[in-house]
Amino acid sequence: MMLPSDFELHRPATVGEAVALRAELGEAAALYAGGTELLLAMKLGVLDYEHLIDLKRIAGLRGVTCAGGELRIGAAVTHRELETHPDVVRELPGLAALERAVANVRVRAAGTLAGNLAFAEPHADPPALLVALGARVVLVGGEGSRELALEDFLVGAYETELGEDELIEAIVVPVGAPGAVYRKFQVLERPAVGVAAVGNLVGGVFDGAPTVVVGAVDERPVRVGAEMLDGAALDDEGAFAALAEAAAEAVEPVDDLSGSEDYKRHLTGVLAKRAVQALGDV
Ligand SMILES: Cc1cc2nc3c(=O)[nH]c(=O)nc-3n(C[C@H](O)[C@H](O)[C@H](O)COP(=O)(O)OP(=O)(O)OC[C@H]3O[C@@H](n4cnc5c(N)ncnc54)[C@H](O)[C@@H]3O)c2cc1C
């Protein structure tokens, strides 16, 4: 590991100042939050910037608020804050549980959810559950502010819809989903496969098809059609076998250090079944 080359650190006090700096410095600058991805990539010589724009001290990017049926998570909010925040624990316990299992406590204490989404590393936990919950990102740039469904924001591996002069201001997550569960399998630092399920059971029977989204396998989260579970009971083995097959077919895994293509397809099916069955416990 090398030392990163010299850079100038800018500490804007407001979102407006950060946007102005981004426009002024262009490609020579990167936005910098926890630095857990960025500084590592700079030390490895994969990325090189003359300027870093530190977002952590901007009051407008801090804090989690819950109003109007939505959680609004500021872009400077860390994984650790999310796993312990009373509103998140109360309204979206599945998200708090997911956050508790991201990386290690050092990374969680510095790393932000916005940084995770902006970096768009495919082997990540939050995108699958947030897509299943219908989360949106609030982007702000020179032209003002806009919102995008997270599903549309994440374009591919390390690729997003973020404009050159934009930053993520907040992540907005609807609350009130009857149940939201995430199950993952991981051998290395990051998940090999993660599956999110959001749905509702009435008297042990699915009321509508649950939403099932697979993360960490493809370059971006993949939805799995789960219509076979609409009206099915939790012990309907046939419906769950069909779900596992549909999930395994929906993904396009690549062989890598996390596992072979076949292994990941198998895991995807197993975890899809487990995540949806766990909706019966929430
Ligand atoms: C050892 C290790 C283990 C990990 N394990 C996991 C894991 O198990 N599961 C998982 O999901 N993730 C894992 N991660 C990834 C971790 O979640 C991210 O590193 C972290 O969330 C990134 O946030 P950050 O604030 O540090 O971003 P930074 O490193 O500061 O920035 C990352 C990127 O996002 C951009 N950026 C930052 N903030 C914004 C913003 N507001 N708007 C626009 N762009 C922005 C930066 O310019 C940069 O390109 C791991 C990381 C490490 C180092």
Side-chain angles (χ1 to χ4, degrees):
M1 185 105 49
M2 338 190 286
L3 281 177
S5 47
D6 287 350
F7 56 82
E8 191 178 338
L9 186 62
H10 302 262
R11 292 197 149 143
T14 64
V15 171
E17 280 176 36
V19 168
L21 274 168
R22 189 129 156 84
E24 180 193 325
L25 301 169
E27 288 184 358
L31 298 166
Y32 159 58
T36 57
E37 297 283 21
L38 185 64
L39 294 183
L40 198 63
M42 289 175 72
K43 283 181 191 164
L44 290 168
V46 178
L47 295 175
D48 191 20
Y49 295 102
E50 289 166 41
H51 303 271
L52 297 188
I53 304 169
D54 186 357
L55 302 177
K56 286 190 301 293
R57 297 179 178 211
I58 300 179
L61 299 181
R62 301 210 54 81
V64 177
T65 52
C66 187
E70 297 186 324
L71 273 184
R72 186 183 167 94
I73 301 166
V77 172
T78 63
H79 296 293
R80 180 83 182 127
E81 286 175 81
L82 284 173
E83 81 185 71
T84 51
H85 195 286
D87 289 347
V88 181
V89 172
R90 186 185 65 247
E91 301 292 342
L92 287 174
L95 178 61
L98 175 152
E99 288 290 351
R100 261 194 300 283
V102 165
N104 55 56
V105 73
R106 282 177 65 196
V107 170
R108 293 203 297 282
T112 59
L113 176 61
N116 181 297
L117 301 177
F119 202 59
E121 143 76 75
H123 292 100
D125 292 303
L129 184 62
L130 292 177
V131 165
L133 286 166
R136 314 186 301 278
V137 284
V138 182
L139 307 177
V140 58
E143 303 284 304
S145 166
R146 62 180 178 132
E147 282 194 14
L148 272 184
L150 175 62
E151 192 165 12
D152 298 330
F153 176 75
L154 298 169
V155 178
Y158 309 102
E159 222 186 308
T160 70
E161 280 292 340
L162 190 75
E164 272 172 26
D165 71 338
E166 286 182 315
L167 57 89
I168 299 177
E169 189 175 21
I171 299 110
V172 178
V173 193
V175 298
V181 167
Y182 179 72
R183 291 288 180 271
K184 70 167 162 178
F185 182 80
Q186 148 169 13
V187 274
L188 304 171
E189 254 170 6
R190 297 171 195 236
V193 179
V195 182
V198 173
N200 190 22
L201 281 145
V202 177
V205 170
F206 283 97
D207 181 20
T211 303
V212 180
V213 180
V214 183
V217 179
D218 289 62
E219 291 192 350
R220 52 192 300 283
V222 172
R223 281 179 186 268
V224 178
E227 314 73 37
M228 69 294 277
L229 286 167
D230 186 358
L234 272 173
D235 61 359
D236 185 336
E237 301 234 338
F240 278 100
L243 170 73
E245 199 179 321
E249 277 173 16
V251 291
E252 291 291 339
V254 288
D255 287 351
D256 63 15
L257 291 174
S258 291
S260 67
E261 180 191 332
D262 284 351
Y263 181 60
K264 288 190 200 171
R265 271 192 206 283
H266 174 72
L267 275 180
T268 302
V270 171
L271 290 174
K273 188 175 156 185
R274 283 189 195 162
V276 176
Q277 280 177 335
L279 288 171
D281 303 329
V282 289

